[in-house]
Amino acid sequence: TDDQRAACVEIDAFLASREHRMLLSGDVGTGKTACFLAAAWALVSAGKTAAIIAPNTLVVESIYAQALRLVPPENIARLTGAGAVGDPEAAPLVIATHALLGRTRAYDALIVDEMHKFSVEQRARVDSHKVIEATATCQPRNVALLTAANTRVARLAQRPQGGCVSTRQLDGADGRRSIVRMIHEATLAGGQCALVYPLRGSTERGKDSLAATAQAAYERLSDKLGPSVALLHGKMSDEQKNAVLADLASGRVSVLVSTIVIELGITLPSLRLLIVVDPDRLGLAALHQLRGRVGRGAAASACVLLYAAGENGRLGEAARARLKAMVETPDGFEIARRDLEIRGPGEFIGARQSGVPLLRYADLEEDAVLVDIARDLAEEILRDAPQAADVITARWFGGRASLLKA
């Protein structure tokens, strides 16, 4: 797309600059992976090294499979907690989980995919000179830092392909009666359906929970729909997960009951309907990522947020705000901005990624003009008086200075 071409130009300019950090922001399905793989291949072709870090094994395997179409296999290594394929200490391109962070090898550039899944401490351990952070949904802290710091941003809004996704919310009483009907309609039209539950097994949550767990829902639906229903959760082995995904890809399974393990790294073009049960138990980033599982094909798709109100018949204020944001906007950056409003930005120099910021006087929105002036002055000091900048940093940040790069 035009957005991808513009993002690649922006990434090239970043790699040629002295800047340390860049954000590649784009909704799910807009082609972030293609952009950062193109950047990695450009580095490898120029005789340099790059590493891509992803939050889990499923995402690593997905990126690795795509990279093999572009990069000769002898130039790639894959590293997860289960072991390595290739030599992670010698290959010019390494694709890994956070297991890579325990190693000392340095790279010319490092790409962090889905950065909202990494802690501040993990990002602080990234010692590469160049860091590209790719995400569909920023944490509140990162949105605030983008506002307060002069960070290069490339945004993707256009989808290479995909149909429209509508989002709506249902309360438990109406939703329970509608679930089976919605599943039948989606599957009879030749599509697939996924029901996502926050929990796999038994829960301590009270009677207000809907079906409560993925396991219980799978057993009920299997009795009604037979072998076309499959279960997927994080406690399964990689072989079991891959078998379920293969059945989905082949069409042998039309209804998937899952935990939020499908939040990242899974592309199912035939998925027409996503039902998230108890969405009030999930954050905005997770909800937006889950919604990105539908709309990958050409057909129109739907995301249904099925919740159970509490004892007073209402959701909490923060939960209502999250669901309202999901219904009102499909834009990942706007979702992140709403999350910033709901949860607060957290510590700018510290480990908390949401909550009340440790700023005595400033407010990022109300004092936006002053923030811009301060940012310009900071750049002047860094350029013209670097020793003074070191003194200021030591005075105000002390032992937390290592988190400045996180």
Side-chain angles (χ1 to χ4, degrees), residues 234-264:
K235 294 293 184 181
M236 299 167 68
S237 67
D238 289 343
E239 291 76 13
Q240 290 173 318
K241 292 176 188 174
N242 290 332
V244 171
L245 294 176
D247 286 342
L248 281 163
S250 67
R252 288 190 292 271
V253 167
S254 56
V255 180
L256 175 67
V257 181
S258 175
T259 60
I260 62 170
V261 70
I262 68 167
E263 175 188 355
L264 301 171

Side-chain angles (χ1 to χ4, degrees), residues 14 20-26 32 36 53 110-116 118-119 123-124 126 130-136 138-139 141-142 145-146 151-154 405-406:
F14 166 73
H20 175 75
R21 191 169 298 266
M22 174 182 177
L23 175 68
L24 175 62
S25 173
K32 294 185 297 296
F36 66 65
I53 302 181
L110 194 144
I111 299 162
V112 183
D113 190 27
E114 302 303 348
M115 67 179 180
H116 69 281
F118 292 83
S119 69
R123 290 200 302 277
V126 174
K130 295 281 187 182
V131 179
I132 299 172
E133 297 182 346
T135 188
C138 302
Q139 316 101 316
R141 177 179 181 272
N142 282 82
L145 285 172
L146 288 172
T151 302
R152 187 187 293 264
V153 180
K405 296 182 179 180

